[in-house]
Amino acid sequence: MKYICFGYYDKDKFDGMTEDERNAMFDTCFTYDDHLRANGHWAGGEALQSAETALTLHWKDGKAITTDGPYVETREQLGGILVLDARDMNHAVQLIAQHPALRYGNTFEVRPVGDMSEIMKASEERRRHTVR
């Protein structure tokens, strides 16, 4: 089963690190990511640019409206996602609990991926029968 791990970091703490400290953190984190890959648990992942580059969309007056930046003000920012392939939630937690980023003050939120296959299949069937 796949689990999405949202990685949060404290921007002020990250900005306060020296280049050597940041490099050491990245090196240990990437080494662990390599370990996850080698053992078949890495199903994907991406870093994100800073929250200042984000747009948030919401619905207002019948249309999508965008606002700059993250919707919620918080000290921690979403820094990236990691997709794990794990047996169950306990296994996913065991795997992410070993991630070195935790020792640098980062936080991970782990969520099971929602299986949309049956819903998508039903939607495709409905749309096939829709008269155009």
Side-chain angles (χ1 to χ4, degrees):
M1 183 167 189
K2 287 190 174 43
Y3 293 84
I4 305 290
C5 305
F6 299 94
Y8 294 89
Y9 71 103
D10 182 328
K11 185 176 182 327
D12 291 337
K13 183 175 180 178
F14 181 81
D15 290 345
M17 295 171 81
T18 67
E19 183 178 357
D20 287 343
E21 290 170 328
R22 280 194 299 272
N23 288 340
M25 179 189 72
F26 287 134
D27 292 350
T28 57
C29 290
F30 294 150
T31 297
Y32 186 66
D33 293 347
D34 289 341
H35 170 78
L36 291 171
R37 281 184 198 87
N39 289 287
H41 300 301
W42 178 274
E46 294 294 336
L48 298 173
Q49 293 184 13
S50 70
E52 293 82 18
T53 67
L55 286 177
T56 299
L57 282 77
H58 60 277
W59 196 256
K60 184 176 179 179
D61 299 326
K63 61 182 177 178
I65 303 294
T66 61
T67 56
D68 291 338
Y71 184 68
V72 178
E73 290 296 321
T74 179
R75 196 177 80 176
E76 289 185 331
Q77 296 183 18
L78 181 60
I81 61 167
L82 187 151
V83 183
L84 289 177
D85 197 357
R87 291 184 305 272
D88 55 30
M89 178 62 89
N90 287 334
H91 187 219
V93 168
Q94 289 172 357
L95 292 169
I96 207 67
Q98 298 174 57
H99 202 291
L102 290 171
R103 291 191 293 269
Y104 288 92
N106 296 345
T107 302
F108 284 97
E109 175 185 341
V110 179
R111 290 192 205 179
V113 169
D115 181 3
M116 300 291 288
S117 57
E118 289 300 315
I119 294 169
M120 289 170 63
K121 190 171 153 184
S123 175
E124 288 170 2
E125 184 67 24
R126 286 190 304 271
R127 288 178 281 144
R128 239 183 306 213
H129 291 58
T130 301
V131 178
R132 295 180 195 240

